[in-house]
Amino acid sequence: GVNSLSESTTKLISKLPEKVTITALYSADRKSDKAAEKRIAMVRDLLSLYEGANGAKIDTFVIDPTQERKRVLDLLGALKE
């Protein structure tokens, strides 16, 4: 079950009334922190499972705030709205 979604989660996703965006903010020095690199890969894999369950209603993004400051500021602006 580690690499899959539960039945209740897939049912919930199938019943979403509107499109959902999931954004993960994750920063790590990928060159020196192998554990962080592995965690980022796990987050990306999980987000892929959500998109695979209902890609028409779910968009996912991973943003590295240390490398993508503008995207973080855009996200904060959207959240304020």
Side-chain angles (χ1 to χ4, degrees), residues 8-66:
S8 61
T9 299
T10 54
K11 283 182 183 178
L12 175 75
I13 290 170
S14 71
K15 295 178 182 178
L16 288 171
E18 58 188 50
K19 194 166 188 101
V20 173
T21 300
I22 302 170
T23 304
L25 298 173
Y26 212 101
S27 178
D29 181 359
R30 293 177 184 96
K31 294 177 185 172
S32 64
D33 190 346
K34 295 297 179 188
E37 185 177 326
K38 184 176 179 180
R39 287 189 301 270
I40 291 171
M42 290 171 66
V43 168
R44 288 184 190 278
D45 290 347
L46 176 62
L47 295 177
S48 292
L49 290 173
Y50 283 118
E51 281 187 339
N54 193 343
K57 288 195 176 178
I58 297 178
D59 287 328
T60 65
F61 302 95
V62 177
I63 298 173
D64 182 340
T66 63

